[in-house]
Amino acid sequence: MAQAKIGVIGGSGLYQMEALQDVEEVTLETPFGSPSDSFIIGTLEGTRVAFLARHGRNHHLMPTELPFRANIHAMKQLGVEYIISASAVGSLQEQVKPLDMVIPDQFIDRTRNRVNTFFGDGIVAHIGFADPVCEKLGDILYNAISELNLEEVTPHRGGTYVCMEGPAFSTKAESYLYRSWGSTVVGMTNLPEAKLAREAEIAYGTLALVTDYDCWHEDHDSVSVEMVIEYLKKNAVNAQKVIQEAVRQINANPPTSEAHSALKYAILTPLDKVPDTTKEKLKVFLEKYL
Ligand SMILES: CSC[C@H]1O[C@H](OP(=O)(O)O)[C@H](O)[C@@H]1O
Ligand SMILES: Nc1ncnc2[nH]cnc12
């Protein structure tokens, strides 16, 4: 079975990682269905990295349709300990401009139609999610952006990512509301992923790539796909450089993360009372506790 220590989830605009070497394509199945696409596993900076295109390589899956559980389960099967999630976002703050990169440290959940847990079916667990992303991975991503000194890119450490359902973009009233909450960026994908990664005890870090000012800014047109496409392309080039540098830093000094033991005190159901079918389904997460 192929293995990789670091997973990269590429969002809108990032459908492949050009720098991967000795590449193998691995198709995985999970008890939660098929992942978004097959995994492209290759060597980057001396370590094996598993790349997955979140919406599929031809961008055929809407945010609501994404098989988040299958994607994270498959990452766990591969032995992934760190996930870098590259994600397009709209800016909710004047100083956060298109092409900038944000490392959010908080989320607000505005989704309505997602399954955000692996648990249920006879097993109950409540993970801590006060700090929803791995701080050390965030530091590494921020350092990587800062050290690369990319043209027209300002890094922002910290901030709140509002995760909306989509697929339509926000109304102005929603955009103003998110701003009144002090939020930094808006997107449609990262919150379910971060929750499931935490349940899977995988450290998760978001590299949010700004493409637009959503629809609140008087001096900028409201977001549309037509408008963001050029930024998506530039962001994809920049993101690959940042990810490569972050992978180098992770590999040089793999951080221990609170995420790596998130289930230790989270499971309320005695494991000998959990139905065998459920235990089997969750084996990749539970085996170290059985
Ligand atoms: C760029 S159009 C909106 C689309 O882009 C973001 O995708 P991802 O988070 O996978 O980069 C956003 O969440 C929407 O899905
Ligand atoms: N304005 C926006 N709202 C939601 N998701 C986005 N992805 C990129 N820009 C976005």
Side-chain angles (χ1 to χ4, degrees), residues 12 88-91 164 168-170 186-188 209 211-215 223 228 232:
S12 298
V89 293
S91 168
M164 55 178 285
F169 291 114
S170 305
V186 56
M188 305 179 190
L209 306 156
T211 55
D212 59 89
Y213 274 109
D214 202 38
C215 57
V223 58
V228 302
L232 285 177

Side-chain angles (χ1 to χ4, degrees), residues 25-28 35-40 51-53 57:
E25 184 163 346
V26 177
T27 304
L28 291 172
S36 299
D37 205 328
S38 46
F39 285 75
I40 306 298
F51 177 84
L52 177 67
R57 67 190 71 181

Side-chain angles (χ1 to χ4, degrees), residues 37-56:
D37 205 328
S38 46
F39 285 75
I40 306 298
I41 303 181
T43 301
L44 188 64
E45 299 291 341
T47 192
R48 294 300 273 174
V49 170
F51 177 84
L52 177 67
R54 179 183 288 121
H55 302 272

